[in-house]
Amino acid sequence: FKYCSDKVIKSVFIDQKIKFTQPRALNDPLEFNPIMRFNQHDAKYQYYEFNGLLFPSIEFFFRVQLIESQINSYGILSLTKIPNSFDMWSHYANGHKGFVLEFKEDFWHLACMRSQKGDERAFGEVEYVDDYSINLDVLVGSGTDIPVDLLLKELFFKKTSRWSNEREYRLVRPLTDSPDYKPPETNYPYTDVGVYPFAFDWECIS
């Protein structure tokens, strides 16, 4: 189920488009900000100040360079198993003035939810955890390369347990699937809060 505001009635029912939200535009300020852990417990988290300037810790450096560079080009369709949550009607349906869409169980297999080449996008249930962290040493294993698919799974499909009552499922797709998306002309980490609607087929909806 997808809770929607009454403000997107035209977008959904006339334009037949639905928004995939980029990570930094989601409502949880802690999301996509996991603690970066290492097996060595030394000065990874220490930072210093000199003459009013902040020298970032190694952990903060990794957060900015690694996480921001990986998540800003993706959009998320947040769904739930619960169609009758009072809190979600309030939070996500503009104070009970919106509506709820029921998606078919296999909607994410349909062509409108795939890439232009027909590739299926990542879909799954969110795992709720008390310790919202990523251990880079564990993620890498015996090698030195961080597997991108594992990193994205840790980032996109885990959330703090305080949100567990929402029973969230997610479909994650690159923003490049949207014709309205224009990649930035920079290689530096950035924060994207634009709006990118994706066309969808009524075949997705129950």
Side-chain angles (χ1 to χ4, degrees):
F1 298 93
K2 173 68 176 174
Y3 287 82
C4 301
S5 167
D6 55 315
K7 297 177 182 179
V8 299
I9 287 177
K10 178 181 180 296
S11 175
V12 171
F13 292 101
I14 297 178
D15 300 335
Q16 212 165 313
K17 292 185 176 182
I18 196 162
K19 179 184 176 184
F20 277 68
T21 306
Q22 38 310 41
R24 291 296 178 225
L26 295 175
N27 64 325
D28 181 2
L30 298 179
E31 190 150 21
F32 301 98
N33 279 298
I35 295 170
M36 303 294 265
R37 297 197 187 282
F38 305 84
N39 288 338
Q40 302 88 355
H41 298 286
D42 49 23
K44 302 287 187 185
Y45 308 101
Q46 182 64 48
Y47 66 88
Y48 303 91
E49 292 184 23
F50 174 73
N51 199 23
L53 298 176
L54 179 66
F55 285 69
S57 65
I58 294 176
E59 188 270 345
F60 185 76
F61 174 83
F62 270 104
R63 181 188 305 281
V64 173
Q65 298 298 320
L66 180 65
I67 295 181
E68 292 294 337
S69 65
Q70 290 296 326
I71 69 174
N72 278 295
S73 60
Y74 288 87
I76 300 167
L77 181 66
S78 295
L79 307 169
T80 177
K81 279 285 190 179
I82 308 171
N84 57 354
S85 164
F86 188 93
D87 289 340
M88 283 192 278
W89 269 108
S90 178
H91 293 159
Y92 307 125
N94 194 22
H96 305 267
K97 295 189 288 288
F99 58 97
V100 167
L101 292 174
E102 181 181 1
F103 283 81
K104 293 180 180 177
E105 287 284 342
D106 61 348
F107 81 97
W108 56 282
H109 292 298
L110 299 176
C112 62
M113 295 295 169
R114 297 175 179 237
S115 72
Q116 292 181 351
K117 295 181 179 179
D119 298 324
E120 289 189 352
R121 297 312 191 184
F123 176 78
E125 186 175 3
V126 170
E127 178 185 354
Y128 296 97
V129 295
D130 294 323
D131 181 19
Y132 186 44
S133 65
I134 294 177
N135 188 312
L136 292 180
D137 291 321
V138 172
L139 204 63
V140 169
S142 59
T144 57
D145 292 335
I146 297 176
V148 175
D149 56 338
L150 291 181
L151 175 65
L152 293 180
K153 182 178 180 180
E154 292 290 312
L155 289 173
F156 286 107
F157 291 97
K158 284 191 176 181
K159 201 169 182 177
T160 56
S161 56
R162 72 188 67 192
W163 299 95
S164 60
N165 62 316
E166 293 190 351
R167 296 184 60 192
E168 186 177 353
Y169 285 72
R170 287 177 170 175
L171 177 63
V172 180
R173 67 192 306 181
L175 294 176
T176 50
D177 283 355
S178 169
D180 299 322
Y181 176 70
K182 292 181 175 58
E185 298 178 358
T186 176
N187 292 323
Y188 295 104
Y190 65 99
T191 298
D192 191 338
V193 292
V195 176
Y196 303 108
F198 287 76
F200 73 98
D201 195 295
W202 284 120
E203 190 181 358
C204 296
I205 306 299
S206 293

